[in-house]
């Protein structure tokens, strides 16, 4: 019962920066490995699996910024991916807007919706915040699924593709993920990162210390939503189809499990875990389809016993190895 | 009020009774631990399966299978409390900061786990539970209702009344309310708060499972059958004031009626959205609900 250490909080600026830098380097190394994978993986199916892993890695990274760093436990990350996907999807389907422009519009629209949601839920925390964002997610999904005249409902909306080659898509997603990783790193290394973590650790104290809590909480919502919307828009053109299923609560569950298993509030953990979880789940699907049972159990076990996730376990192992 | 309105009102109230069976437990859990149990719908799902499988596979009479479903739900509730909820109040003061997040993660994870486990072990197909009575539709003036639904509504009223009475007057009920009001104060007065939490989870799991069992001939048990009832009960506890049992009962009946009329007069497709919009509006503008006391934690 007492094996757990408290979450990494109130770290000094120096310490926090070194920690984030180590995480950033490990994440970059992981991206480098991912960049080399197509040399060995010629199979289009597994390339597709890795592309979807990167889609989830962006979502997990974006949600981790909001939930792990800023402590705002929203249950709507998948919804913003859906909003992003429908933004570019509808623009493309009805007005023939080219995908690249549509993707930019998706980032803006989902970021704005995130901003509004963040603004609306400013005073809410804990279970109240979780419930409000969950209802927001369900309302959005119901609207998308039932506005059949516009979105074609569950049938899905066909949208234009962007690239012909799968390897091209692979590197596009990888580029997007890497750009976001760098952006998050720069953000977290700056004062903003400290402000967000201060709000997470003690909102009242942060306000007393002069942190503009309203601004930074709203900003965290908007940034996280924009990242999700970006991922959703890319995915829309990759799959050439947009459906309300992108916003299912189960999708949010998958994102949440990646972040929890990887280690909430660490830069590298959730992104690496997104690959592990998704690739492993595809493999488990072949072996008997127990993937969701396994991951749900892992989420509960990690939350209960290993609160710092795989990243925390790895760091503890490194420390022990150095001492020995 | 025309005939169809009476029919809508009565059927809405009956739906509300089943909502209440779910929402009372959720509200009690919020009261005692200040968390939302995101796995509440899965207690309902397990109840529906327990009743259906016990009655069909084991050939047990429905009147025995019904209380057994309650027992299965209560056992699951007890297990959840012992294994996952204890850290919320036993020691662990060092991570009080992430307490709310822990609760959301484990209950959300438990929900996914149970849904997918049942999906793999029992299968994704829907099972129709045996009805309590084999009567076709009964016509009471303008109201059209099936025999099973009428009987189930009667049982629901009885169970709700017994539960409310137990919480109000019984020894354990008073202890539960004391812990909900002030955990530290209650424990200083000699109340076993861990036991009170365990009882709340057993009662809550049992009631939700009972609701699932009662409705299983109508809803057709499938792994994700608990998702929507759970969302309804979130709406209800917010409307009624988180932690308030009378509030939960009144809000349940109100939501049943609102949905019943909304589906006919406003939009059938969006019937599930009305409650969610209410929930958001309430959380944003009146988080203490209709009957909750205003208070803020710092």
């Amino acid at each position: 019962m007492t094996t757990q250490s408290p979450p990494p909080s109130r770290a000094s600026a120096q310490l926090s920066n070194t920690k984030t830098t180590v995480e950033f380097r490990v994440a970059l190394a992981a991206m480098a490995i991912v960049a080399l994978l197509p040399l060995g993986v010629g199979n289009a199916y597994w390339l597709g699996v890795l592309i979807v892993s990167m889609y989830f890695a962006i979502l997990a990274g974006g949600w981790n910024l909001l939930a792990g760093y800023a402590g705002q436990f929203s249950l709507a990350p998948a919804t913003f991916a859906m909003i992003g996907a429908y933004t570019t999807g509808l623009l493309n389907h009805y007005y023939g807007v080219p995908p690249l422009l549509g993707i930019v519009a998706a980032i803006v629209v989902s970021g704005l919706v995130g901003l509004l949601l963040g603004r609306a839920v400013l005073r809410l925390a804990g279970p109240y915040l979780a419930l409000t964002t969950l209802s927001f997610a369900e309302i959005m999904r119901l609207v998308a699924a039932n506005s059949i005249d516009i979105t074609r409902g569950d049938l899905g909306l066909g949208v234009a593709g962007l690239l012909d080659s799968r390897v091209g898509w692979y590197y596009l997603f990888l580029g997007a993920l890497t750009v976001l990783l760098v952006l998050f790193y720069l953000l977290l290394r700056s004062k903003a990162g400290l402000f967000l973590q201060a709000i997470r650790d003690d909102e009242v104290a942060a306000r007393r210390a002069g942190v503009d809590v309203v601004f930074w909480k709203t900003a965290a919502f908007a940034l996280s939503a924009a990242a999700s919307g970006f991922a959703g828009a890319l995915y829309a053109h990759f799959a050439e189809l947009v459906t309300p299923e992108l916003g299912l609560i189960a999708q949010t569950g998958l994102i949440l499990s990646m972040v929890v298993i990887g280690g909430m509030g660490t830069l590298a953990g959730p992104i690496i875990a997104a690959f592990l979880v998704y690739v492993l789940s595809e493999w488990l699907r072949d072996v008997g389809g127990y993937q969701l049972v396994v991951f749900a159990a892992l989420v509960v076990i990690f939350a209960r016993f290993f609160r710092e996730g795989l990243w925390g376990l790895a760091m503890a192992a490194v420390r022990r190895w150095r001492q020995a | 009020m025309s005939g169809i309105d009476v029919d809508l009102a009565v059927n809405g109230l009956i739906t509300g009774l089943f909502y209440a069976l779910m929402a009372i437990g959720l509200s009690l859990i919020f009261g005692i631990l200040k968390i939302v149990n995101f796995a509440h719908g899965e207690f309902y799902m397990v109840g529906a399966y327990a009743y259906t499988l016990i009655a069909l596979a084991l050939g047990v009479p429905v009147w025995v299978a019904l209380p057994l479903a309650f027992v299965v739900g209560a056992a699951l509730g007890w297990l959840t409390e012992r294994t996952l909820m204890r850290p919320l109040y036993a020691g662990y003061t060092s991570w009080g900061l992430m307490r709310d997040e822990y609760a959301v993660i484990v209950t959300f994870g438990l929900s996914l786990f149970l849904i997918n486990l049942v999906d793999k072990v029992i299968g994704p197909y829907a099972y129709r539970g045996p009805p309590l009575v084999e009567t076709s539709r009964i016509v009471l003036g303008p109201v059209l209702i099936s025999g099973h639904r009428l009987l189930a509504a009667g049982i629901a009223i009885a169970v709700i009344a017994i539960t409310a009475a137990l919480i109000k007057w019984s020894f354990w009920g008073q202890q539960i309310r004391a812990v909900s009001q002030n955990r530290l104060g209650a424990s200083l007065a000699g109340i076993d708060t861990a036991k009170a939490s365990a009882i709340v989870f057993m009662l809550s799991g049992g009631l939700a499972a009972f609701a699932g069992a009662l409705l299983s001939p109508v809803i057709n048990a499938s792994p994700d059958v608990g998702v929507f009832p759970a969302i309804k009960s979130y709406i209800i506890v917010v409307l009624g004031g988180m932690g308030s049992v009378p509030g939960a009962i009144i809000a349940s009946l109100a939501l049943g009626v609102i949905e019943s009329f909304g589906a006919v007069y406003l939009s059938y497709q969006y019937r599930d959205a009305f409650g969610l919009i209410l929930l958001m509006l309430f959380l944003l503008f009146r988080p203490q609900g209709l009957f909750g006391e205003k208070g803020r934690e710092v």
Side-chain angles (χ1 to χ4, degrees):
Chain A
M1 295 282 273
T2 51
T3 53
Q4 284 152 341
S5 53
S9 57
R10 299 195 179 97
S12 73
Q14 191 67 46
L15 195 70
S16 171
N17 263 348
T18 345
K19 186 177 151 291
T20 312
T21 305
V22 170
E23 289 167 8
F24 176 62
R25 288 192 183 141
V26 173
L28 273 191
M31 292 306 104
I33 295 170
V34 174
L36 295 176
L37 282 177
L39 299 177
V41 183
N43 185 326
Y45 170 73
W46 282 104
L47 272 184
V49 168
L50 286 167
I51 290 172
V52 180
S53 306
M54 288 189 263
Y55 164 70
F56 277 112
I58 298 175
L59 292 177
W63 187 67
N64 182 41
L65 181 76
L66 181 64
Y69 282 100
Q72 304 303 306
F73 217 88
S74 155
L75 289 180
T79 307
F80 287 107
M82 186 188 80
I83 291 173
Y86 271 111
T87 306
T88 183
L90 292 171
L91 284 175
N92 181 264
H93 189 86
Y94 289 105
Y95 304 104
V97 173
L100 284 177
L101 212 61
I103 291 170
V104 173
I107 297 172
V108 173
V109 169
S110 51
L112 279 177
V113 178
L115 188 119
L116 290 177
L117 181 70
R119 212 49 219 209
V121 300
L122 265 181
R123 290 184 305 147
L124 302 176
Y128 297 93
L129 179 63
L131 278 182
T132 311
T133 48
L134 186 73
S135 341
F136 169 76
E138 271 302 285
I139 293 170
M140 285 296 155
R141 195 184 60 81
L142 283 168
V143 168
N146 286 316
S147 309
I148 294 168
D149 297 339
I150 304 167
T151 63
R152 302 194 348 121
D154 289 322
L155 285 174
L157 194 69
V159 297
L162 180 59
L163 300 172
D164 288 330
S165 96
R166 209 152 246 219
V167 178
W169 270 112
Y170 187 91
Y171 285 106
L172 183 62
F173 267 95
L174 185 64
L177 179 58
T178 312
V179 167
L180 280 175
L181 185 66
V182 172
L183 284 179
F184 286 164
Y185 170 64
L186 292 177
L187 181 82
L188 291 170
R189 213 186 53 163
S190 72
K191 271 191 180 164
L194 288 178
F195 291 162
L196 294 180
Q197 292 171 71
I199 292 170
R200 173 193 70 190
D201 290 348
D202 193 333
E203 192 177 322
V204 178
R207 185 179 292 127
R208 297 286 291 163
V211 175
D212 189 344
V213 172
V214 171
F215 176 82
W216 288 109
K217 268 167 92 168
T218 320
F221 262 98
L223 283 175
S224 167
S228 301
F230 179 38
L234 278 181
Y235 187 81
H237 291 291
F238 169 66
E240 299 182 16
L241 183 73
V242 185
T243 66
E245 278 184 23
L246 287 174
L248 278 180
I249 294 175
Q251 296 274 316
T252 291
L254 205 54
I255 297 164
L256 186 142
S257 55
M258 288 160 179
V259 176
V260 171
I261 291 172
M264 279 187 85
T266 69
L267 192 58
I271 290 177
I272 295 172
F275 284 92
L276 293 179
V277 167
Y278 196 77
V279 171
L280 204 64
S281 85
E282 280 303 306
W283 179 73
L284 280 173
R285 193 195 300 272
D286 294 342
V287 195
Y290 276 89
Q291 68 275 16
L292 287 167
V293 183
V294 172
F295 291 121
L298 279 179
V299 167
V300 175
I301 292 168
F302 267 90
R304 179 73 177 76
F305 298 106
F306 313 105
R307 306 196 78 222
E308 287 165 51
L310 283 176
W311 180 262
L313 287 178
M315 286 299 105
V318 168
R319 272 196 300 275
R320 233 172 295 137
W321 178 69
R322 278 195 182 150
Q323 278 166 5
Chain B
M1 216 176 184
S2 69
I4 181 141
D5 289 331
V6 178
D7 184 53
L8 285 175
V10 170
N11 273 300
L13 283 173
I14 291 178
T15 308
L17 287 172
F18 300 126
Y19 288 165
L21 282 177
M22 291 277 292
I24 291 171
L26 198 70
S27 191
L28 283 173
I29 290 178
F30 183 83
I32 205 152
L33 286 178
K34 306 289 177 274
I35 62 158
V36 172
N37 174 22
F38 283 99
H40 202 62
E42 281 54 59
F43 292 156
Y44 171 93
M45 179 266 289
V46 166
Y49 271 105
Y51 169 79
T52 307
L53 293 180
I54 289 172
L56 292 183
L58 302 179
V60 173
V62 288
W63 294 104
V64 181
L66 199 58
L68 279 178
F70 184 95
V71 173
V72 170
L76 187 64
W78 177 80
L79 199 65
T80 307
E81 203 276 341
R82 275 316 288 265
T83 54
L84 299 176
M85 297 300 140
R86 286 280 151 111
L88 289 174
Y89 57 88
Y92 288 81
T93 42
S94 59
W95 42 275
L97 292 174
M98 296 293 276
R99 184 185 175 278
D100 292 334
E101 285 70 17
Y102 170 78
V104 177
I105 293 170
V106 288
T107 56
F108 207 81
L110 180 67
S111 157
L112 284 176
F113 176 71
L114 288 173
I115 291 175
N116 290 295
L117 188 70
V118 169
D119 185 82
K120 289 310 294 181
V121 174
I122 303 179
Y125 332 102
Y127 283 84
R128 183 173 177 271
L132 293 168
V133 280
E134 289 288 355
T135 32
S136 51
R137 293 189 174 269
I138 297 171
V139 182
L140 300 167
V143 182
L144 200 66
I145 190 171
S146 81
H148 171 84
R149 197 168 150 86
L150 192 63
L151 192 57
I155 296 171
I157 292 175
V159 172
I160 292 166
I162 292 168
T163 310
L166 281 177
I167 291 161
K168 182 93 181 146
W169 289 300
S170 79
F171 178 64
W172 277 110
Q174 288 173 344
Q175 299 211 342
I176 288 168
R177 284 189 292 135
V179 179
S180 303
Q181 282 169 13
N182 188 336
R183 173 170 286 273
L184 183 62
S187 71
L188 288 175
I191 293 174
D192 185 345
T193 55
K195 205 166 182 179
S197 304
I199 289 176
V200 163
F201 260 82
M202 287 172 70
L203 184 63
S204 167
L207 284 174
F210 197 75
L214 275 181
L215 288 180
S216 66
V218 189
I219 55 170
N220 297 339
S222 64
D224 59 355
V225 76
V227 173
F228 264 101
I231 291 176
K232 306 289 182 203
S233 39
Y234 305 147
I235 298 168
I236 289 158
V237 292
V238 169
L239 255 56
M242 308 257 265
S244 157
V245 171
I249 297 172
I250 296 168
S252 299
L253 299 175
L255 184 68
V257 174
I258 290 172
E259 285 185 341
S260 174
F261 279 91
V264 172
Y265 288 111
L266 290 171
S267 158
Y268 182 75
Q269 285 162 337
Y270 288 100
R271 68 194 181 285
D272 290 323
F274 305 136
L276 290 168
I277 292 166
L278 271 180
L279 186 157
M280 281 192 78
L281 291 177
F282 262 79
L283 280 178
L284 294 175
F285 300 111
R286 198 181 157 79
Q288 72 272 31
L290 288 172
F291 305 96
E293 289 165 27
K294 192 160 187 167
R296 280 191 81 154
E297 272 187 77
V298 178

